[in-house]
Amino acid sequence: MDLEHSPAWGALKNLQDSHKHTTLMEQFDLDPKRVERFTLRFDGLYFDYSKTAMSDSIRSALLSLADQQDLDGQKRALFSGAHINNSEDRAVLHMALRAPHTAAYHVDGQNVSDAIHDTLNQMRSFCRDIHDGVWRGHNGKAINTIVHIGIGGSDLGPYMVCDALKDFALSNMNVHFVSNVDGAALSQCLAKINPDESLFLIASKSFTTEETLKNAESAKNWFLNKTGAAHSAIAKHFAAMTVNIDAATTFGIAPENIFGFGDYVGGRFSLWSSIGLPIALYLGFDKFEDLLRGAHAMDQHFLHAAPHENLPTMLALIGIWHRNFCGYESLAILPYAQNLNALPAYLQQMDMESNGKTVDRHGRSLPYPTGPIIFGASGTNGQHAFYQLIHQSQTIIPCEFIAFKTALSPLKDHHDALLSHVLAQSRALMIGRAAEANAPEKYFSGNRPSTTLIAEALTPYHLGQILALYEHKIFVQGAIWGLNSFDQPGVELGKILAKEIAGALPAIKNGASTITSFDPSTQNMLDYLYKD
Ligand code: F6P
């Protein structure tokens, strides 16, 4: 049966106006236990969704929807290694990467735990050798600089985690990330580093991504020119993380410097794999393990907690309520932590690349909208940028606030200020402000939904929990919408057309008459760029 004609969907449709008769503030007055009933706690995390329109009836209708869509069965299929990424015929098992060695995760009948822990051991000894100065560069200098080259899922995760946890960084390690094919990115990085003390990590699941290969090639040429070292020096300064071992070897990476992972790890879920090597090098391997432990704790919670007490499930269901029954198109992710400034961009890829689809997993057109438009920035900076629209425009944007109980920064009074702001924002969105005579611009409608997630502190463990929470949220939403959250065919067309244009450039530059196979607008721009 089509989802939108199903009983659970119909029940939610019937409820979609129910919350419009009372404001959020009235809901609190009517129910002194509201906060208690709409707050969850798990292992150092506190999640308050009482400032959404949630009611008992909406929540139970959403839980029936999850039940009707066999969320439990889909979850079991995910963890069992079934090929739930059906268009690419692959399992989706990034959870296996953060499980203890004793856990048995199977892909096509094979337990993958041994291979995962072999790679973890390879990463552990590599980190130890670099940190202890056992591994040295071509002229005997110790390595103190990591240059990570990758893009999309092979960049956003490691970059965000290194940035988020820089308070834990080893004092003698620096890390740089280069992703954009714009030469400005690589040249600015190269201008800052000493090649003798640098290690280049080439991160690409496929090892075919144009931007990454171009940056890697230019970095290799720069290294050889700058040092004047023999080609064999590459083995001391370049490593790769990839599924495509052959391509990395052909590129010139020494086989012992290649860190593999399984194709059951999607790019945007890959920071837990060897793609996370810069994290381990920058913070120390023990911190990387703490990150994995936090994510594993969330996996277990997601697997075993009852749906109404299950953080990823509830966060996902609130999102479905907002997207499909309230018609809210966007979602703001607002971490109140300077070091999480890169989190919204990371979650933007994870969510929009996963659930921004128009067909279901059987290729049928979806009659309802799916993934929201994700944006955000760290608080309090965002308050001075885009919050005006969130508070007063006619477009309602649900907000997901993220905060931390304890500050890691020594300036503890700043943390009180920061927390005051995050609490004030969700409160302002809810209570609004009455119009004043002759000052209509001061009116805030209020009654705008938000959730707040509070973790003990921005540690590797809690960050691991939060990232896995969002991964599972996205899985739950995709499962309910009936789509494949694990492919990304929407990025292919642009890549093909860019190749076509790049292929035409030599002829255009050589003065060939206007290429007529492009549309008139593209043709004119090519003329403007290369002929005028
Ligand atoms: O943008 C498309 C994409 O395939 C992402 O899903 C992926 O994270 C990124 O490109 C990089 O791919 P790779 O790791 O294969 O270089």
Side-chain angles (χ1 to χ4, degrees), residues 150-154 203-209 212 266-268 275 349 353 488 491-492 495:
I151 198 164
S154 295
S204 176
K205 177 179 173 182
S206 60
F207 227 84
T208 58
T209 303
T212 300
R268 50 194 174 274
I275 294 285
Q349 186 210 16
E353 203 167 82
Q488 54 287 323
V491 301
E492 292 310 320
K495 290 185 194 171

Side-chain angles (χ1 to χ4, degrees), residues 6 25 35 40 116 119 203 215 244 269 344 346 359 385 396 430 493:
S6 68
M25 285 300 283
V35 185
L40 294 172
I116 288 170
T119 305
N215 277 324
N244 191 349
F269 306 97
Y346 170 73
V359 293
I396 295 186
M430 177 173 72
L493 181 59

